[in-house]
Amino acid sequence: MVDDLEEKSSEGFDLQHYLGVVRRRHLHFLIPMLIGWAVVWGASWVLPPRYQSSTLILVEQPTMPKDYVTPNVNDDLQERMQSITQQILGRTRLLHIIDQFDLYQSDHAQRSPDDKVELMRKDIDIALVRDGHNQITSFNVSYTSRDPHIAQQITSELTNLFINENLEVRQQQSEDTTKFLENQLETARQSLAEQEDRIRQFKGQHIGEMPGQLATNLQILSGLQSQLQTDEDVLNTARQQHVYLQTLADQYRSLSGSSKSSDGIPVGLPALDQELEKLKAQLADLSSHYTDRHPDVRKLKEQIAKTEKNRDQLLASLKAKDPESVADGAEVSSPVSQGGDPAQASMLLQIQSQLRSNQSEITNHERSIATLKAKVDEYQARLNQEPVREQQLADLTRGYDQSKANYDDLLKRKNESKMATSMELLQQGERFRVVDPPSFPQRPEFPNRLKFCGIGLGMGLALGLVVAGAFEMMDDRSHNAKELRKLLPADVIGEIPAIVNLSDARTARRKIWLGWATGAVVFVTILAGSLFSYMRG
């Protein structure tokens, strides 16, 4: 019963069996493991080393605040980096570097230029560095070569290309933007000048009809109407004076036969007195509205003075002819004898002269009134045309205002772009600055011999297990009692212990020492190789 339990417990994991396998197959495991490790580790020293030189380039923001000078180039750094990278990794640029440093020359086969360019692109690595806001703050440029000096030189050349290309791209974009705005500004200026010329011609063709002249036209029209009314009043007065003078002249002519009327009263004086009263009544009416310096008031006073002078002359003439009737206070007329009185003839001539002057004055006033009426009609026509001109001018100025606003906006943008271009030319905009200069690689980037050492150890272990397992599987011998029991058809009743002589014991001890020595050699060899790889790698 106990044996059955032991047998069942040993079916899961037979430690004695595996220990026996280790004792028998340790050399089959250690030697392949050492060989596998040695092959991989040796390959790391046979493969040609490749050195990588790298540099860190910082993306510096513009030194001038954006509130003062707004950049006029593309702010998307990632797009600009892609464009710069494509230009630098272009066939022409890389072929120039390859020819300059005599790269990728093969002794076995002649490589084409395209093959060299592809090889160099694979050796170049550009890695962007971002911050927490996913913004590019810097980037690494590295180059891998078999010669560390070449790797450093190529990395330095690529760094200079990135810095110079960024400056050239920003300056070229800034200058192109400024030039574009200047061309647009010139086009807008020509359009604005054409619209200004059309507005100027329109105003020249319709002088006095513009909306801005409405108040002036109204003021002039009011003045013209007032002057027209004054001239009409003066004309009416002149016409009344003409009637009076004509009547007076007719009276003097009618005095040729008799100087008195039927009731003995001189005919001329009552008419003069009546005219004087009428003129004084008009003067009183005008004085209530105007001052003494008004032209109508002054003219009316002159007419009153002339009428009084004529009356005095008539009285003097009558007094000389008939002193008694004048002394009695009777009114006399200007006698005209049949033979003719020189004084009366002189008076008649004066009246006729005044009639001619009055007629000339009436004619002048009529002409002046006609001229004033024409001007009034003209200004009224201007006022009637003012709404039409206002609409036409609004149509013209609407496009002009839009063009003026566009011109002012382009002028402002052009000035800002010009300042931004000056900033870029002074290298005060966004630029690349080398933080870490291209490094000189002290150790090869490939192969990593310490890593190869670990890979070789893993491959050696796998190879040792495969070889030891293969030998164990091909061995058809039985090495313990359990295996023998499985082969026998009946149960074993008794066992004969192994008889070991002195020679077998020495052989067994030699195998044990050989196994431990081999294990020590393998361990020391792998450890020494790892230390050597670490020190040299």
Side-chain angles (χ1 to χ4, degrees), residues 201-225:
Q201 292 178 0
F202 179 80
K203 289 182 177 180
Q205 293 172 357
H206 304 92
I207 296 176
E209 299 177 0
M210 294 294 101
Q213 297 174 324
L214 177 61
T216 303
N217 290 336
L218 287 174
Q219 184 177 1
I220 294 174
L221 180 60
S222 177
L224 290 174
Q225 290 175 344

Side-chain angles (χ1 to χ4, degrees), residues 273-297:
D273 292 337
Q274 185 179 0
E275 182 67 20
L276 280 173
E277 291 177 0
K278 185 177 180 181
L279 292 175
K280 288 179 180 179
Q282 292 180 0
L283 178 62
D285 182 62
L286 289 176
S287 298
S288 63
H289 295 86
Y290 305 105
T291 62
D292 294 340
R293 302 178 64 182
H294 194 272
D296 295 343
V297 175

Side-chain angles (χ1 to χ4, degrees), residues 178-360:
T178 302
K179 186 176 181 180
F180 172 77
L181 290 175
E182 288 178 349
N183 294 334
Q184 293 297 314
L185 182 65
E186 179 63 22
T187 303
R189 187 193 65 78
Q190 294 177 358
S191 176
L192 187 64
E194 293 176 357
Q195 293 181 351
E196 287 178 347
D197 186 62
R198 286 198 295 268
I199 293 176
R200 189 182 303 110
Q201 292 178 0
F202 179 80
K203 289 182 177 180
Q205 293 172 357
H206 304 92
I207 296 176
E209 299 177 0
M210 294 294 101
Q213 297 174 324
L214 177 61
T216 303
N217 290 336
L218 287 174
Q219 184 177 1
I220 294 174
L221 180 60
S222 177
L224 290 174
Q225 290 175 344
S226 177
Q227 186 177 356
L228 178 61
Q229 183 64 37
T230 301
D231 285 357
E232 287 178 348
D233 293 340
V234 173
L235 178 61
N236 291 332
T237 303
R239 286 175 176 173
Q240 293 175 2
Q241 180 69 17
H242 180 76
V243 173
Y244 160 70
L245 293 175
Q246 186 66 41
T247 303
L248 188 60
D250 293 340
Q251 289 178 356
Y252 271 103
R253 293 189 187 97
S254 65
L255 291 177
S256 59
S258 174
S259 63
K260 293 184 180 180
S261 62
S262 60
D263 55 358
I265 300 175
V267 179
L269 286 178
L272 290 175
D273 292 337
Q274 185 179 0
E275 182 67 20
L276 280 173
E277 291 177 0
K278 185 177 180 181
L279 292 175
K280 288 179 180 179
Q282 292 180 0
L283 178 62
D285 182 62
L286 289 176
S287 298
S288 63
H289 295 86
Y290 305 105
T291 62
D292 294 340
R293 302 178 64 182
H294 194 272
D296 295 343
V297 175
R298 295 170 60 182
K299 191 170 186 63
L300 196 56
K301 286 182 177 180
E302 292 177 359
Q303 292 179 358
I304 292 173
K306 289 180 180 180
T307 304
E308 290 178 346
K309 182 178 179 182
N310 293 333
R311 185 178 181 279
D312 293 339
Q313 291 177 355
L314 182 58
L315 285 174
S317 175
L318 293 175
K319 189 180 292 185
K321 301 293 282 182
D322 192 0
E324 293 180 359
S325 62
V326 177
D328 291 339
E331 292 184 357
V332 297
S333 62
S334 54
V336 181
S337 61
Q338 294 291 334
D341 189 355
Q344 190 173 357
S346 176
M347 181 63 66
L348 183 58
L349 291 175
Q350 291 179 4
I351 293 174
Q352 291 176 349
S353 176
Q354 291 178 6
L355 277 172
R356 289 192 295 270
S357 176
N358 180 260
Q359 184 63 42
S360 176

Side-chain angles (χ1 to χ4, degrees), residues 339-391:
D341 189 355
Q344 190 173 357
S346 176
M347 181 63 66
L348 183 58
L349 291 175
Q350 291 179 4
I351 293 174
Q352 291 176 349
S353 176
Q354 291 178 6
L355 277 172
R356 289 192 295 270
S357 176
N358 180 260
Q359 184 63 42
S360 176
E361 182 181 0
I362 290 173
T363 302
N364 292 334
H365 282 296
E366 288 177 347
R367 291 176 181 174
S368 177
I369 289 172
T371 303
L372 289 173
K373 286 183 178 180
K375 289 184 178 180
V376 168
D377 294 338
E378 178 184 353
Y379 277 92
Q380 285 180 345
R382 290 183 180 181
L383 292 176
N384 293 333
Q385 290 294 327
E386 188 272 336
V388 179
R389 304 301 179 220
E390 182 179 8
Q391 182 62 38

Side-chain angles (χ1 to χ4, degrees), residues 59-269:
V59 180
E60 283 190 337
Q61 297 302 319
T63 57
M64 189 69 65
K66 292 185 178 180
D67 295 338
Y68 294 96
V69 180
T70 304
N72 60 347
V73 296
N74 185 13
D75 292 334
D76 193 343
L77 181 58
Q78 184 169 355
E79 292 183 1
R80 184 150 35 90
M81 280 293 301
Q82 292 177 354
S83 176
I84 294 174
T85 303
Q86 291 177 358
Q87 293 180 13
I88 292 177
L89 298 183
R91 186 176 184 276
T92 304
R93 293 284 182 87
L94 294 184
L95 282 177
H96 176 72
I97 297 175
I98 292 171
D99 295 338
Q100 181 180 356
F101 294 94
D102 196 19
L103 302 176
Y104 306 106
Q105 298 297 329
S106 176
D107 298 334
H108 304 286
Q110 185 68 26
R111 292 191 178 98
S112 64
D114 292 335
D115 294 337
K116 294 180 181 179
V117 169
E118 290 299 326
L119 289 174
M120 187 169 187
R121 286 174 180 170
K122 292 179 181 179
D123 292 336
I124 297 174
D125 182 44
I126 301 171
L128 302 179
V129 180
R130 301 178 182 271
D131 58 6
H133 302 286
N134 201 28
Q135 299 293 327
I136 300 175
T137 58
S138 58
F139 59 96
N140 288 299
V141 178
S142 59
Y143 179 75
T144 304
S145 176
R146 295 182 182 180
D147 189 346
H149 297 279
I150 294 295
Q152 185 183 33
Q153 292 176 3
I154 299 299
T155 304
S156 177
E157 184 70 18
L158 292 174
T159 302
N160 294 332
L161 285 177
F162 268 99
I163 294 175
N164 296 331
E165 191 67 26
N166 178 65
L167 290 176
E168 292 179 2
V169 167
R170 289 185 64 88
Q171 291 176 4
Q172 187 63 38
Q173 288 182 356
S174 181
E175 291 176 354
D176 291 343
T177 302
T178 302
K179 186 176 181 180
F180 172 77
L181 290 175
E182 288 178 349
N183 294 334
Q184 293 297 314
L185 182 65
E186 179 63 22
T187 303
R189 187 193 65 78
Q190 294 177 358
S191 176
L192 187 64
E194 293 176 357
Q195 293 181 351
E196 287 178 347
D197 186 62
R198 286 198 295 268
I199 293 176
R200 189 182 303 110
Q201 292 178 0
F202 179 80
K203 289 182 177 180
Q205 293 172 357
H206 304 92
I207 296 176
E209 299 177 0
M210 294 294 101
Q213 297 174 324
L214 177 61
T216 303
N217 290 336
L218 287 174
Q219 184 177 1
I220 294 174
L221 180 60
S222 177
L224 290 174
Q225 290 175 344
S226 177
Q227 186 177 356
L228 178 61
Q229 183 64 37
T230 301
D231 285 357
E232 287 178 348
D233 293 340
V234 173
L235 178 61
N236 291 332
T237 303
R239 286 175 176 173
Q240 293 175 2
Q241 180 69 17
H242 180 76
V243 173
Y244 160 70
L245 293 175
Q246 186 66 41
T247 303
L248 188 60
D250 293 340
Q251 289 178 356
Y252 271 103
R253 293 189 187 97
S254 65
L255 291 177
S256 59
S258 174
S259 63
K260 293 184 180 180
S261 62
S262 60
D263 55 358
I265 300 175
V267 179
L269 286 178

